[in-house]
C-alpha cells in the first residue's frame, strides 16, 4: 500500500535525522569547527522537511481511504436494508438501524484510515530502528528488542478492557437513540399524559450512562498510553546506563554512538505509540462490525432471465399456487394452501377479519417476505426470479396512512417518478385532485410538510399518495385499507380518485366489506374458511 511505503520511508528519514542530530550534539559538546556542523545541519533540516511532507501526504491518503471504505460499506448496508424490506426488519427499531448505518459505520473510520497502516508500520518501523541500533551498538539494539517484546503484553492487558468498554458504549448509545426517537414521535401522548418531566429525566439518565461509558474508554486508552511511556522510559534509562560507565571512564569516542542510540528511543516508540493510539479504534471497529454483520442477510435470488426484466405493457397477471406462510411458528400459519389466479387488468378484493392474512398477501407481492411453501408468479415468472428494481417499478401501494417525507408536496409526489415531466406531474395532480387543497396553501405545491405528513389531514395525505401512484403509472396497484381512517365525505372523494387510478391496472385491495363493494371484480374471503378458497370468481 502507498500509505505503508510512505511510512517506511518516513522511518528511514527519521533514522537519518537522528544520525544528523547526534552529530550536531557531538559537535557542540566537542566544540567542533563550523564546517563540521554544516553537513549534519543541512541533512537534519532536509530530512525534517521531507518527513513533514510525507506525513501530510500520508494523512491525506489515509483520510481518502477511510472515506471511500465507509462510503462503500454504508451503500452496501443500505442496499441490504432496502432489499430486506420492512417484513424482515419488523423486530428491529428504526433508531437502532439508523445507529448502525451512521454511528457504527462511522466508527470503522479508524480501522481503514489508521489501524491497517499502523499495524504494518508497528512492526516494520521498530524493526528498521532496531537494525540501525544493532549496527551502531548491539547492546542498545538488544535493549530495544526486549522492550519491543513487552509491548504486546502491555497492550493485551488493556486491549480486552477496551473491547468490553466499546461494546457497552455502543449498547448505551443505541438505548439513548431509540428512546429519544420514540419519545419525539410520541411527544403529544407524553405531554397529554403528564409524563414530560419524567421522560426528560429518563433521557438524562440514559445520556449520563453513555457519558460514563465513553469516559471508561478514554480511561483505558490513557492507561495503554501510560504503559507504552513506561516502557520507553525504561529503554531510555537502560541505554543511558549502558553508556554511562565508558563515558565516565573517559571514552569520548563513544559519545556519538551513545547520542545516536539514545535519540533513537523516541523514534523507536513513535510507530508503537501510533499503533497503541489506534488500538482502541480497532476494538471499537470490531464491536461496530459485529452489529453490522448481525443484520439479517437477504435470501439469494435466482438469476433473472432477460425476458422478465421488464413488464409487458398490456398488464400484470398474478397467481398464488398452494402458498403457505407463517410469521411466528407459535401462532401458526397465516396463510395455508392459498391458491388463486388474477388476470391482468382485473381487480380482487381481499376481505376477512384482522389477522386473516390480507396484509400478508400484500407483503408477499411486494417481495418483502417469501412463502415457506408454494409459489407466487407474476406474468408466469416466479416472483423471486424478478429483478428487484423491475418488481418495484411495476408496483404501487397505498396504505392506511402513507408515509410522507419532510419536504415539499411536489417532492413527495415526484418520489413516484423523479424524472417525470412537469406535464405528467400536473396530470397526476389533476387526477388525484391535489390542487383542491394545495392551491389554498401560501406556497402551493412548494409548501413544506413535516415527517409523516405533519401539517396535512388524512385525506390530503392520501391524495398525495394517490398522485404519487398516478405519476409512477405502475401496472400493479396494491391498496391496504386506504380509507380506514377517513370521514365519510373525504372517503367518497378518495374513492373516486382510487377508481380512476384502478382503470387499466391489476388491483388487489385489502379492506372492510363496505369499501370492497365500491369495486367490481373478484373477491377472496380469507375469513370464510381456513383453506382460503377463492369464491365469487367473475
Amino acid at each position: 500500500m502507498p500509505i505503508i511505503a510512505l511510512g517506511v520511508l518516513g522511518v528511514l528519514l527519521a533514522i537519518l535525522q537522528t544520525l544528523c542530530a547526534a552529530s550536531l550534539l557531538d559537535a557542540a559538546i566537542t566544540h567542533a569547527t563550523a564546517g563540521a556542523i554544516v553537513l549534519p545541519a543541512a541533512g537534519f533540516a532536509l530530512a525534517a522537511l521531507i518527513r513533514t511532507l510525507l506525513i501530510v501526504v500520508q494523512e491525506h491518503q489515509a483520510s481518502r481511504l477511510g472515506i471511500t471504505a465507509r462510503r462503500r460499506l454504508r451503500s452496501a448496508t443500505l442496499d441490504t436494508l432496502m432489499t430486506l424490506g420492512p417484513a424482515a426488519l419488523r423486530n428491529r427499531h428504526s433508531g437502532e438501524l439508523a445507529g448502525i448505518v451512521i454511528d457504527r459505520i462511522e466508527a470503522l473510520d479508524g480501522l481503514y484510515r489508521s489501524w491497517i497502516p499502523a499495524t504494518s508500520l508497528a512492526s516494520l518501523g521498530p524493526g528498521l530502528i532496531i537494525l540501525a541500533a544493532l549496527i551502531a551498538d548491539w547492546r542498545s539494539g538488544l535493549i530495544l528488542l526486549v522492550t519491543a517484546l513487552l509491548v504486546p503484553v502491555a497492550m493485551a492487558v488493556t486491549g480486552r478492557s477496551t473491547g468490553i468498554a466499546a461494546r457497552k458504549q455502543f449498547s448505551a448509545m443505541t438505548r439513548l437513540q431509540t428512546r429519544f426517537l420514540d419519545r419525539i414521535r410520541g411527544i403529544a401522548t407524553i405531554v397529554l399524559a403528564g409524563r414530560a418531566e419524567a421522560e426528560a429525566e429518563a433521557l438524562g439518565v440514559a445520556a449520563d450512562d453513555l457519558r460514563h461509558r465513553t469516559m471508561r474508554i478514554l480511561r483505558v486508552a490513557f492507561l495503554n498510553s501510560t504503559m507504552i511511556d513506561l516502557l520507553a522510559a525504561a529503554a531510555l534509562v537502560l541505554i543511558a546506563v549502558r553508556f554511562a560507565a565508558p563515558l565516565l571512564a573517559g571514552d569520548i569516542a563513544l559519545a556519538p554512538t551513545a547520542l545516536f542510540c539514545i535519540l533513537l528511543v523516541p523514534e523507536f516508540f513513535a510507530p508503537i505509540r501510533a499503533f497503541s493510539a489506534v488500538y482502541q479504534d480497532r476494538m471499537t471497529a470490531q464491536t461496530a462490525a459485529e452489529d453490522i454483520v448481525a443484520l439479517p442477510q437477504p435470501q439469494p435470488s435466482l438469476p433473472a432471465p432477460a425476458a422478465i426484466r421488464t413488464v409487458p405493457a398490456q398488464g400484470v397477471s398474478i397467481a398464488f399456487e398452494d402458498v403457505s406462510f407463517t410469521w411466528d411458528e407459535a401462532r401458526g400459519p397465516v396463510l395455508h394452501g392459498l391458491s388463486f389466479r388474477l388476470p391482468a387488468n382485473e381487480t380482487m378484493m381481499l376481505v376477512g377479519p384482522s389477522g386473516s392474512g390480507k396484509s400478508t398477501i400484500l407483503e408477499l407481492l411486494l417481495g418483502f417476505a417469501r412463502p415457506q411453501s408454494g409459489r407466487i408468479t407474476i406474468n408466469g415468472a416466479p416472483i423471486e426470479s424478478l429483478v428487484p428494481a423491475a418488481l418495484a417499478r411495476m408496483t404501487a401501494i397505498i396504505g392506511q396512512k402513507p408515509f410522507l417525507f419532510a419536504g415539499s408536496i411536489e417532492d413527495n409526489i415526484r418520489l413516484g417518478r423523479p424524472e417525470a415531466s412537469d406535464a405528467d406531474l400536473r396530470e397526476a395532480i389533476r387526477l388525484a385532485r391535489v390542487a383542491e387543497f394545495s392551491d389554498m396553501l401560501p406556497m402551493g405545491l412548494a409548501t413544506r410538510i413535516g415527517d409523516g405528513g405533519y401539517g396535512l389531514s388524512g385525506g390530503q395525505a392520501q391524495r398525495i399518495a394517490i398522485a404519487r401512484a398516478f405519476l409512477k403509472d405502475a401496472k400493479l396497484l396494491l391498496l391496504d385499507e386506504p380509507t380506514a381512517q377517513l370521514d365519510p365525505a373525504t372517503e367518497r372523494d378518495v374513492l373516486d380518485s382510487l377508481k380512476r387510478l384502478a382503470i387499466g391496472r391489476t388491483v388487489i385491495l385489502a379492506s372492510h366489506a363496505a369499501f370492497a363493494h365500491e369495486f367490481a371484480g373478484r373477491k377472496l374471503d380469507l375469513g370464510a374458511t381456513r383453506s382460503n378458497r377463492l369464491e365469487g370468481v367473475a
Side-chain angles (χ1 to χ4, degrees):
M1 292 176 61
I3 299 176
I4 298 174
L6 292 173
V8 171
L9 182 57
V11 172
L12 295 175
L13 288 171
I15 296 173
L16 175 61
Q17 192 175 6
T18 302
L19 181 61
C20 293
S23 299
L24 286 173
L25 289 174
D26 180 61
I29 294 172
T30 59
H31 303 287
T33 61
I37 299 177
V38 174
L39 185 60
F44 182 88
L46 182 60
L49 177 61
I50 297 176
R51 282 187 71 188
T52 303
L53 293 176
L54 287 178
I55 291 173
V56 172
V57 174
Q58 188 177 3
E59 287 295 323
H60 179 69
Q61 292 294 327
S63 178
R64 287 184 57 188
L65 176 64
I67 292 173
T68 302
R70 282 180 285 130
R71 182 185 293 120
R72 290 177 180 174
L73 182 59
R74 184 171 285 116
S75 177
T77 304
L78 284 173
D79 287 343
T80 298
L81 295 178
M82 294 299 181
T83 302
L84 288 169
L89 301 171
R90 63 187 184 279
N91 295 326
R92 306 293 292 269
H93 196 282
S94 56
E96 177 189 1
L97 296 176
I100 290 175
V101 174
I102 299 173
D103 298 321
R104 303 301 188 275
I105 293 179
E106 202 64 30
L108 296 175
D109 177 55
L111 177 68
Y112 296 108
R113 182 174 58 86
S114 305
W115 166 257
I116 295 177
T119 303
S120 300
L121 292 176
S123 56
L124 293 176
L128 292 173
I129 293 175
I130 288 176
L131 181 60
L134 287 172
I135 294 173
D137 179 69
W138 68 270
R139 292 181 181 86
S140 299
L142 185 61
I143 291 172
L144 292 178
L145 178 60
V146 172
T147 54
L149 294 177
L150 294 176
V151 170
V153 178
M155 297 189 67
V157 172
T158 59
R160 185 172 181 273
S161 300
T162 303
I164 296 173
R167 190 172 292 105
K168 291 181 178 179
Q169 185 210 26
F170 276 129
S171 298
M173 187 183 299
T174 299
R175 286 195 298 271
L176 178 60
Q177 288 172 330
T178 54
R179 187 179 188 92
F180 182 76
L181 183 60
D182 280 340
R183 272 50 184 182
I184 290 298
R185 285 174 172 171
I187 193 169
T189 303
I190 291 173
V191 171
L192 291 175
R195 297 288 300 170
E197 292 186 4
E199 289 299 333
E201 292 178 0
L203 284 172
V205 171
D208 198 51
D209 180 51
L210 176 61
R211 179 178 63 85
H212 282 295
R213 298 191 184 282
T214 302
M215 294 306 297
R216 287 174 186 169
I217 292 180
L218 294 177
R219 185 168 65 238
V220 173
F222 284 131
L223 177 61
N224 194 1
S225 177
T226 300
M227 297 184 72
I228 299 299
D229 289 338
L230 290 175
L231 289 174
L236 190 63
V237 169
L238 290 174
I239 293 176
V241 169
R242 177 262 177 275
F243 287 104
L247 290 174
L248 291 175
D251 191 359
I252 304 300
L254 280 177
T257 302
L259 290 171
F260 176 67
C261 292
I262 290 174
L263 293 175
L264 275 180
V265 173
E267 297 295 344
F268 173 78
F269 279 94
I272 297 176
R273 280 197 181 91
F275 177 77
S276 174
V278 300
Y279 188 71
Q280 59 265 25
D281 290 342
R282 181 255 181 187
M283 302 304 297
T284 302
Q286 180 178 344
T287 304
E290 290 174 357
D291 292 335
I292 298 173
V293 172
L295 287 174
Q297 295 299 313
Q299 301 179 14
S301 300
L302 297 176
I308 61 170
R309 287 186 178 273
T310 57
V311 182
Q314 59 268 26
V316 176
S317 62
I318 297 172
F320 274 52
E321 301 174 8
D322 199 26
V323 171
S324 297
F325 182 81
T326 302
W327 289 110
D328 187 351
E329 294 292 343
R331 299 181 181 180
V334 179
L335 302 175
H336 180 69
L338 174 64
S339 298
F340 68 84
R341 294 184 181 276
L342 180 63
N345 303 327
E346 293 198 16
T347 298
M348 174 177 286
M349 287 76 71
L350 305 177
V351 297
S354 297
S356 59
K358 301 188 298 294
S359 296
T360 299
I361 292 176
L362 301 186
E363 294 268 9
L364 292 171
L365 287 172
L366 289 168
F368 293 153
R370 293 185 182 178
Q372 281 81 32
S373 63
R375 193 171 77 138
I376 302 174
T377 61
I378 295 182
N379 285 358
I383 190 171
E384 62 270 13
S385 68
L386 288 174
V387 177
L391 180 62
R393 282 195 301 270
M394 76 172 71
T395 310
I397 182 169
I398 301 176
Q400 297 181 24
K401 189 176 180 181
F403 191 85
L404 301 181
F405 297 90
S408 68
I409 294 176
E410 180 178 345
D411 291 339
N412 276 277
I413 296 175
R414 281 192 177 276
L415 188 65
R417 186 156 56 96
E419 71 280 4
S421 65
D422 292 341
D424 291 337
L425 176 66
R426 288 192 297 270
E427 181 65 11
I429 291 171
R430 183 188 68 80
L431 292 172
R433 298 168 63 180
V434 172
E436 291 183 5
F437 69 88
S438 64
D439 289 347
M440 301 172 61
L441 299 174
M443 299 180 65
L445 294 175
T447 301
R448 298 189 65 82
I449 57 179
D451 286 330
Y454 184 80
L456 298 177
S457 68
Q460 291 170 343
Q462 286 290 24
R463 291 185 189 183
I464 292 176
I466 294 171
R468 182 190 294 171
F470 268 117
L471 188 64
K472 186 176 184 180
D473 195 24
K475 296 301 179 182
L476 174 61
L477 177 62
L478 306 178
L479 304 177
D480 187 9
E481 301 276 6
T483 63
Q485 301 182 16
L486 304 180
D487 60 85
T490 305
E491 181 182 25
R492 172 54 52 191
D493 292 338
V494 171
L495 278 175
D496 292 339
S497 297
L498 288 175
K499 287 180 181 178
R500 288 195 296 271
L501 180 60
I503 296 174
R505 292 177 172 85
T506 304
V507 181
I508 293 184
L509 61 94
S511 186
H512 52 278
F515 175 69
H517 290 324
E518 296 286 341
F519 287 81
R522 304 167 180 241
K523 186 174 84 170
L524 179 61
D525 189 352
L526 298 173
T529 171
R530 291 300 296 173
S531 62
N532 294 327
R533 294 187 182 277
L534 182 65
E535 49 181 60
V537 177

